[in-house]
Amino acid sequence: MKPGKEVTIYDIAKKLNISPATVSRGLQDNPAISKKTRKRIFDMADELGYRTNHYARNLRQSQTNTIGVLVHELNSNFITSVLAGIEKITTEAGYDLLIAHSSESAVKEAANARNLFHKRVDGLIASLAFDTTSLDHFKPFKEKGVPLVFFDRVEQDADNTVVIIDNAKCGYIATQHLIEQGCKKIVHVTASLKRNVYAQRYKGFRDALHDHGLKFEESQLIVNDLSEKAGVEAALRMLKMKPMPDGIFITNDFVSAVCMRTLKENGLRIPQDIAVVGFNNDAIGNLIEPALTTINYPGIDMGEIAARNLINHLKGISDIHQTNTIIVRSELIIRKSSLRKPV
Amino acid sequence: MKPGKEVTIYDIAKKLNISPATVSRGLQDNPAISKKTRKRIFDMADELGYRTNHYARNLRQSQTNTIGVLVHELNSNFITSVLAGIEKITTEAGYDLLIAHSSESAVKEAANARNLFHKRVDGLIASLAFDTTSLDHFKPFKEKGVPLVFFDRVEQDADNTVVIIDNAKCGYIATQHLIEQGCKKIVHVTASLKRNVYAQRYKGFRDALHDHGLKFEESQLIVNDLSEKAGVEAALRMLKMKPMPDGIFITNDFVSAVCMRTLKENGLRIPQDIAVVGFNNDAIGNLIEPALTTINYPGIDMGEIAARNLINHLKGISDIHQTNTIIVRSELIIRKSSLRKPV
DNA sequence: CTGAAAGCGCTAACAC
DNA sequence: GTGTTAGCGCTTTCAG
């Protein structure tokens, strides 16, 4: 193995006195090649330390065997689970992953989309940033016929395939649970209502209040950016309300934990004074006190489903445009933060 | 823009009545091309919706402009910070990232290394899995002259560049802090001592005990896999010790949180009965009760440093083999979980 | 400042 | 079952 010099199929061909085409076929397990030759090819490849030049192959085949993944952040349990699911499926199918994250910025998201497009991904799986409103940056993909699958944070128009949970239902059952625990004034802490997930959860929240004859005032809705600072502020704001809320439904477990901390620091008891329900079922929920009631939904499944749909489409097994919306199961996990009555 | 047909530099050249070579040079801001021509080229490229074919370019230049990153897991704050740091630097320098994670399995790590090698990354940044002992899977990189940088979990032999913190010192100050708080029997919960980070922290722990005249028994060392289950077991084991420890130094914040939960469930008060110090400064430490004393070290800086070193080497600005070990600062963050005396 | 031409390593018609 | 050949899109000498 001379350093610096790459082994090519020509080297293998020469050593074996066969043609490069045969080597190429052999390496791909083409059935037209006899068992013996194939074995000789593989052995020689090993011996010489051959490695495929993916760039030559991709150039030739004009397809990259790469799937782009566009997410808002990497730092949540949920996202890493989704990634794990995607990775499992794509790896099995022999695709590479190019992962980009937008740090919740629509501008960076557009830049990443452009980059992935220029990298010629065969398909794209994406979850949108907070403030993404237009889907223009995905247009090039559509024009080139590169299939798109959105998950979780999506924009639902006619021709996107989306993998989501029933956020409205989740919002409803979370709120209903609080009502069943005796809460009369429930505050909802969430992020920009322009984003489907938050809009839907809010809708569920409102519907549940309405169906149970509870009234709603604007002050019961707190919209922020789900940061630690925002969590503290939300809690302080609730402390000043008259009357104070006796239940909170928060759209994210981290912010729930922050809120709870601030409330407890101010002498409130959870769930007696205020019952709390979060969202996502992050590890944190089971470590804080009291343990957090939350909505669980399977990131890994969402990832697998998104990836599988995309790949089946790429392989021509199914057409992605036929399956428009896939809803993944979700459930309420009841823990102490909301439990005022025996179950 | 006809669908399915890619625009190449030949198309641009033809439209402009110049040669493909000129277009290629223009696109790369080659100073040999006049401003006017360059502008015309860019405008036409825009108009036609041209996108570079990276595969053709890489094939031609036989370098990929890609850096591989090999990590044990994605699900920690620390790792995602490192990744953010790496990404910042590599993006600025125009490199792509190929990220692989080994789920703490040496076997998968080797497979990932092989894959990245076959993908021909120009350089590799890695942090090892728990049970990785041999560095054989990195040999191909060395043989081909592909530069390697290890961070955090490393194997220190002569010719690897490593970016680490002073784990022994951190272990020492964590332990010393507990001693200063009046702890007489301190237990250390950690992972496989084959891994440098854990071995060094343990060394610091032992040194601190020794320097302060405290004796050590084998039972004061608990080695596990840092899972939730392991955290619970560790706590239960300590509850059975006679006498019970009055201080714990745990190598990871998550396990600290789990341990604390179990101890509290069993009626122990923290820090009065047992003082706890963790490691990593994850977000969780500030949300549990009492807030967790821990060691902070800057993942983002480690990522940036690792990436910068690698890239400078690739660009020939500096030689990676000259800088063998880079130590990043770290510090003890004191919170309530360990505070028995006024500061 | 620009053009002509060769070649990076691989695959896929098309032959035989 | 195997060989010949052309070409994927780009960069880069070498010429002018």
Side-chain angles (χ1 to χ4, degrees):
Chain A
M1 195 183 300
K2 303 132 213 155
K5 203 75 214 87
E6 285 293 343
V7 179
T8 73
I9 54 172
Y10 289 93
D11 300 321
I12 301 179
K14 200 168 291 170
K15 285 265 190 189
L16 256 32
N17 260 313
I18 56 181
S19 85
T22 304
V23 177
S24 172
R25 285 190 273 251
L27 255 14
Q28 297 167 75
D29 282 337
N30 186 318
I33 304 293
S34 76
K35 281 238 167 58
K36 288 161 245 159
T37 343
R38 211 183 310 169
K39 180 158 178 6
R40 290 177 61 220
I41 291 170
F42 274 109
D43 289 348
M44 185 53 76
D46 267 1
E47 191 184 324
L48 262 35
Y50 169 79
R51 46 177 182 168
T52 323
N53 188 322
H54 295 267
Y55 295 89
R57 168 186 291 175
N58 289 339
L59 174 58
R60 182 57 226 251
Q61 299 188 145
S62 52
Q63 58 139 315
T64 62
N65 270 298
T66 301
I67 288 177
V69 182
L70 200 54
V71 295
H72 37 91
E73 268 305 349
L74 252 35
N75 59 13
S76 86
N77 247 323
F78 169 67
I79 288 291
T80 47
S81 318
V82 173
L83 250 29
I86 294 177
E87 199 197 18
K88 174 155 176 274
I89 302 299
T90 50
T91 306
E92 280 170 11
Y95 282 81
D96 281 330
L97 241 39
L98 232 39
I99 300 171
H101 65 107
S102 56
S103 311
E104 296 292 8
S105 141
V107 176
K108 211 172 163 210
E109 179 177 301
N112 284 334
R114 204 171 317 121
N115 183 33
L116 290 176
F117 179 68
H118 280 267
K119 295 282 156 53
R120 303 182 185 223
V121 294
D122 291 338
L124 186 71
I125 300 177
S127 178
L128 303 173
F130 267 160
D131 58 344
T132 299
T133 47
S134 141
L135 253 48
D136 284 355
H137 44 297
F138 296 112
K139 258 196 194 149
F141 293 92
K142 297 196 178 174
E143 282 168 2
K144 284 281 180 212
V146 178
L148 296 172
V149 176
F150 292 92
F151 71 91
D152 196 42
R153 304 231 207 128
V154 306
E155 200 72 35
Q156 244 162 326
D157 64 8
D159 41 274
N160 294 133
T161 299
V162 302
V163 182
I164 48 177
I165 55 168
D166 188 337
N167 283 287
K169 187 177 133 214
C170 289
Y172 192 97
I173 60 173
T175 310
Q176 188 176 40
H177 167 70
L178 286 168
I179 296 170
E180 285 167 2
Q181 297 297 312
C183 298
K184 299 291 181 209
K185 176 173 177 180
I186 303 171
V187 167
H188 181 38
V189 179
T190 192
S192 167
L193 296 178
K194 286 188 209 144
R195 196 61 306 120
N196 67 306
V197 290
Y198 306 118
Q200 290 295 309
R201 289 170 199 177
Y202 175 58
K203 179 180 181 312
F205 167 73
R206 287 296 298 272
D207 287 352
L209 291 187
H210 179 263
D211 290 357
H212 290 80
L214 293 179
K215 64 176 195 290
F216 169 81
E217 286 171 17
E218 281 307 323
S219 64
Q220 282 167 256
L221 174 66
I222 300 181
V223 173
N224 62 36
D225 63 356
L226 306 183
S227 65
E228 174 159 10
K229 185 157 159 281
V232 173
E233 283 169 3
L236 294 176
R237 200 154 124 197
M238 286 186 265
L239 284 164
K240 284 192 202 129
M241 291 182 183
K242 299 184 182 177
M244 269 189 36
D246 53 5
I248 329 177
F249 166 38
I250 308 181
T251 203
N252 156 318
D253 283 351
F254 172 70
V255 177
S256 303
V258 173
C259 268
M260 282 167 65
R261 184 184 60 190
T262 304
L263 293 173
K264 286 191 294 178
E265 282 168 3
N266 283 274
L268 280 138
R269 294 166 308 158
I270 297 168
Q272 297 91 325
D273 299 325
I274 298 197
V276 181
V277 176
F279 213 107
N280 274 15
N281 196 20
D282 278 348
I284 203 174
N286 236 327
L287 293 169
I288 56 174
E289 251 175 319
L292 181 65
T293 294
T294 191
I295 300 281
N296 179 54
Y297 59 117
I300 201 157
D301 291 1
M302 285 183 95
E304 288 187 18
I305 290 167
R308 192 158 10 233
N309 269 274
L310 187 61
I311 283 176
N312 284 344
H313 177 86
L314 288 173
K315 297 202 165 162
I317 297 172
S318 65
D319 186 346
I320 218 168
H321 304 295
Q322 287 172 1
T323 39
N324 195 250
T325 300
I326 297 163
I327 306 226
V328 175
R329 76 180 178 287
S330 54
E331 69 199 320
L332 180 70
I333 295 186
I334 299 174
R335 300 204 190 97
K336 292 194 179 161
S337 71
S338 66
L339 257 196
R340 297 161 142 191
K341 302 185 173 175
V343 194
Chain B
M1 196 182 299
K2 303 133 213 155
K5 203 74 216 92
E6 285 293 342
V7 179
T8 73
I9 53 171
Y10 288 93
D11 300 322
I12 300 179
K14 201 169 290 170
K15 286 265 190 189
L16 257 29
N17 260 314
I18 55 181
S19 82
T22 305
V23 176
S24 171
R25 284 189 272 250
L27 255 15
Q28 298 167 74
D29 282 336
N30 186 318
I33 304 292
S34 77
K35 281 238 166 58
K36 288 162 248 162
T37 345
R38 211 184 309 169
K39 180 158 178 5
R40 290 177 61 220
I41 292 170
F42 274 110
D43 289 347
M44 184 54 75
D46 266 1
E47 193 186 323
L48 263 35
Y50 169 79
R51 46 177 183 168
T52 323
N53 189 322
H54 295 268
Y55 295 90
R57 167 186 291 172
N58 289 339
L59 174 57
R60 181 57 224 251
Q61 299 186 145
S62 52
Q63 58 140 315
T64 62
N65 269 299
T66 300
I67 288 176
V69 182
L70 200 53
V71 295
H72 37 92
E73 267 305 349
L74 251 36
N75 60 12
S76 85
N77 247 324
F78 170 67
I79 288 292
T80 47
S81 317
V82 173
L83 249 31
I86 294 176
E87 199 197 17
K88 175 156 176 272
I89 301 299
T90 50
T91 306
E92 281 170 10
Y95 282 81
D96 281 330
L97 241 38
L98 232 39
I99 299 170
H101 66 107
S102 56
S103 312
E104 296 292 10
S105 140
V107 176
K108 210 171 164 212
E109 178 177 300
N112 284 334
R114 203 172 319 120
N115 183 33
L116 290 175
F117 180 68
H118 279 268
K119 293 285 157 53
R120 302 182 184 223
V121 295
D122 291 337
L124 186 71
I125 299 177
S127 178
L128 303 173
F130 268 161
D131 59 343
T132 299
T133 47
S134 141
L135 253 46
D136 285 354
H137 44 298
F138 296 112
K139 257 196 194 150
F141 293 92
K142 296 195 179 174
E143 281 168 2
K144 283 282 181 212
V146 178
L148 296 173
V149 176
F150 292 92
F151 71 91
D152 197 41
R153 303 230 208 126
V154 306
E155 201 72 35
Q156 244 162 325
D157 63 8
D159 42 276
N160 293 133
T161 299
V162 302
V163 182
I164 48 176
I165 54 168
D166 188 336
N167 283 288
K169 187 177 132 215
C170 289
Y172 193 96
I173 59 173
T175 309
Q176 188 176 39
H177 167 70
L178 286 168
I179 296 170
E180 285 167 1
Q181 296 298 312
C183 298
K184 301 288 180 209
K185 176 173 178 181
I186 302 171
V187 167
H188 181 39
V189 179
T190 193
S192 167
L193 296 178
K194 286 188 209 143
R195 191 68 300 120
N196 66 306
V197 290
Y198 306 119
Q200 290 296 310
R201 290 171 198 176
Y202 175 58
K203 179 180 181 310
F205 167 72
R206 287 296 299 271
D207 287 351
L209 291 187
H210 179 263
D211 290 357
H212 291 80
L214 293 179
K215 63 175 194 292
F216 169 81
E217 286 172 16
E218 279 307 322
S219 64
Q220 283 168 255
L221 173 67
I222 300 181
V223 173
N224 62 36
D225 64 356
L226 305 183
S227 66
E228 173 159 11
K229 184 158 160 279
V232 172
E233 283 169 3
L236 294 176
R237 198 153 126 198
M238 287 186 264
L239 283 163
K240 284 194 201 126
M241 291 182 182
K242 299 184 183 180
M244 270 188 37
D246 53 6
I248 328 176
F249 166 38
I250 308 180
T251 203
N252 158 318
D253 283 353
F254 172 70
V255 177
S256 302
V258 173
C259 268
M260 282 167 64
R261 184 184 59 191
T262 304
L263 293 173
K264 286 192 294 178
E265 281 167 5
N266 282 275
L268 280 137
R269 294 167 308 159
I270 296 168
Q272 297 90 326
D273 298 327
I274 298 197
V276 181
V277 175
F279 213 106
N280 274 13
N281 195 21
D282 278 348
I284 203 174
N286 235 328
L287 293 168
I288 56 174
E289 251 175 322
L292 181 64
T293 295
T294 190
I295 299 281
N296 180 53
Y297 58 118
I300 201 157
D301 291 0
M302 284 183 95
E304 288 188 17
I305 290 167
R308 196 166 356 243
N309 269 274
L310 188 60
I311 284 177
N312 283 345
H313 177 86
L314 288 173
K315 296 202 165 164
I317 296 172
S318 65
D319 186 345
I320 218 168
H321 303 296
Q322 287 170 2
T323 39
N324 196 251
T325 300
I326 298 162
I327 306 228
V328 175
R329 76 180 179 288
S330 54
E331 68 200 318
L332 179 70
I333 295 186
I334 299 174
R335 301 203 190 100
K336 291 193 180 162
S337 72
S338 65
L339 257 197
R340 296 160 141 191
K341 301 188 174 174
V343 194

